[in-house]
Amino acid sequence: MSAELMRLRCHGHRDIRATHTKTLEFTTSSEITGRATCVIGVGATLDGPAPSRLAGPLRITLSVGDHTFTVRALAHSAWRPGSGAVVRLSSERLPNTLATDADHASSDLPRDLLHALTDPDAEITVVVERDTEAAEARLVLYRAGDERDDRLAAEIAAADTVIAEDAGAGRVITVLGADADPWDAVLPAIAEGGRVLAVSTEDTRSAPVGKLLAAPDRPAVEVIGLPAELAVAALSPYPVPVLLAPHERRRQIGRLLGAHRLSRVVFRAPAAELPKILDEAGRTLGVRTVAVTAATSAAAERPWWGPVTEAAAQVTGGGDVLCCVDPAEEVPEGAADSDVDLSALVRALAAQSVSSKTLALALASLPTWSRKRAYEFVLEAAKAQARQPKDDTSR
């Protein structure tokens, strides 16, 4: 069974080509040219009230005369009726995107159906339903604010299980008229191919979410409500501090990763340079897993996480990418890089005449810090201190 969420009315057009291999679109415009190769319906209007939001798996069925065509896809819960409704095979969520991860594009339409769509008098009905037969395990990490959020309400309606990761999240869920499920409902829901919504208002991670992210067969993950730099870090199974370095120069990234082996390090780089950066990180530092995404808001909700050797292939095209490198070494129980800026601390102690040898020996006593690494870190901190302009005390 499926539950109807929205219905559109469109009509045909003589210039409908339906040759696009990556998208399909229902446009509100009544006129198109042959270049609009993804359009399969023009003059789209809502038939009935506008939906508040759409979320979760969808069945989108186009009907014209005796012809029908059904697409399965994943709703983009930020979409609102406007200039059109685009359905994409990719996971890119632009403002006009109704749904992503579709199983068909416009080029997949049967040719007899395409012929019917080229008739300007053809009446087209598009029914959008909740796909209750979809069974892909999915974890949605949702950072909520204090205000009433209709996008969150839609995600709650589409979820099989909803958990509150902190007290504030529990209050937000209650305001929306829903109840949080018990944490022990999470793993069974995922095992059955369900959709789990984990709502948070703080920088915390509940035990069930941590277990899901660390599981060998972890589900697909979406991240909603976080800036791109934090969204790409949210996929990591390691509960260690996040170091944001989006403006670090290319040649400094390797040193940064080496100095923070027990942190999640987020950096920005041109897509063309990512393979070299990650190859070096894997070979010299032992980095095993990373998360990557195009550095755009359209891609931030669907980062990719996996082996470092496969990461560069996940980002196509030009532009910049955001990458979160997981800890390069096993994280000992209870041990992780602190939030202390070690570079600043070393410089401050050196200014108090603490010797480089003493500083290096102190760092070498930390988990995963070798003596060689510690001496290199102290020397680099000293060089950085020397490069800083000295205060003018003559005035």
Side-chain angles (χ1 to χ4, degrees):
M1 294 179 61
S2 297
E4 184 172 322
L5 301 172
M6 180 179 72
R7 185 176 290 248
L8 299 174
R9 298 287 186 186
C10 312
H11 58 83
H13 194 282
R14 62 184 179 278
D15 287 324
I16 286 180
R17 298 288 183 265
T19 58
H20 205 290
T21 59
K22 296 182 179 179
T23 64
L24 59 84
E25 178 179 1
F26 307 102
T27 179
T28 57
S29 175
S30 59
E31 289 298 329
I32 60 170
T33 67
R35 291 181 298 176
T37 57
C38 64
V39 172
I40 58 175
V42 304
T45 58
L46 281 167
D47 184 4
S52 54
R53 298 280 183 177
L54 303 176
L58 301 178
R59 284 171 51 93
I60 304 169
T61 302
L62 175 150
S63 301
V64 53
D66 296 330
H67 305 285
T68 62
F69 185 72
T70 298
V71 178
R72 281 185 160 91
L74 189 66
H76 176 207
S77 53
W79 177 83
R80 302 295 293 144
S83 60
V86 178
V87 179
R88 304 180 186 278
L89 267 62
S90 73
S91 60
E92 188 175 24
R93 290 177 164 175
L94 297 170
N96 64 348
T97 302
L98 168 65
T100 62
D101 300 86
D103 60 355
H104 293 297
S106 64
S107 60
D108 296 320
L109 266 65
R111 294 301 93 179
D112 54 348
L113 173 56
L114 171 59
H115 179 72
L117 295 178
T118 60
D119 180 359
D121 295 325
E123 296 292 333
I124 304 167
T125 300
V126 181
V127 177
V128 180
E129 305 166 291
R130 193 178 306 286
D131 187 358
T132 57
E133 298 177 358
E136 181 195 20
R138 187 171 293 271
L139 172 64
V140 182
L141 304 177
Y142 198 111
R143 175 59 62 85
D146 296 331
E147 70 281 357
R148 185 177 178 86
D149 185 345
D150 60 348
R151 186 177 185 187
L152 177 56
E155 291 289 348
I156 289 174
D160 298 295
T161 301
V162 181
I163 62 170
E165 296 208 75
D166 53 67
R171 290 190 291 271
V172 170
I173 293 171
T174 300
V175 167
L176 292 173
D179 295 319
D181 294 304
W183 284 6
D184 58 11
V186 172
L187 295 180
I190 290 294
E192 295 175 3
R195 185 178 179 89
V196 172
L197 175 65
V199 184
S200 66
T201 58
E202 302 173 1
D203 293 328
T204 57
R205 176 177 289 173
S206 65
V209 169
K211 288 181 180 179
L212 287 180
L213 293 176
D217 54 347
R218 58 185 270 164
V221 182
E222 297 179 34
V223 185
I224 299 176
L226 285 175
E229 292 82 0
L230 293 179
V232 74
L235 272 68
S236 172
Y238 297 94
V240 294
V242 178
L243 175 65
L244 300 180
H247 305 298
E248 196 71 31
R249 288 176 294 178
R250 158 72 178 86
R251 62 179 178 272
Q252 297 296 331
I253 292 175
R255 293 179 181 178
L256 185 72
L257 296 175
H260 296 274
R261 294 179 181 232
L262 292 181
S263 294
R264 289 172 285 168
V265 180
V266 178
F267 64 87
R268 185 186 187 110
E273 295 184 9
L274 187 63
K276 184 176 182 180
I277 295 172
L278 294 184
D279 178 64
E280 181 181 346
R283 286 187 297 101
T284 64
L285 300 175
V287 170
R288 294 155 299 173
T289 53
V290 298
V292 294
T293 181
T296 64
S297 58
E301 294 183 353
R302 301 292 302 281
W304 176 92
W305 178 90
V308 65
T309 53
E310 301 176 14
Q314 306 304 316
V315 181
T316 58
D320 285 355
V321 297
L322 287 169
C323 180
C324 176
V325 174
D326 284 336
E329 304 179 21
E330 291 292 339
V331 181
E333 185 69 27
D337 283 352
S338 69
D339 289 326
V340 175
D341 184 338
L342 290 178
S343 295
L345 178 60
V346 166
R347 291 196 299 269
L349 291 173
Q352 298 299 316
S353 301
V354 178
S355 70
S356 296
K357 180 178 180 180
T358 299
L359 291 171
L361 290 175
L363 287 175
S365 67
L366 296 174
T368 77
W369 280 73
S370 66
R371 182 171 295 191
K372 179 177 182 295
R373 176 190 171 199
Y375 271 106
E376 290 177 347
F377 186 87
V378 170
L379 291 176
E380 185 61 30
K383 292 178 182 178
Q385 180 77 7
R387 289 194 295 266
Q388 290 184 353
K390 299 186 181 297
D391 294 333
D392 186 354
T393 57
S394 62
R395 287 180 295 178

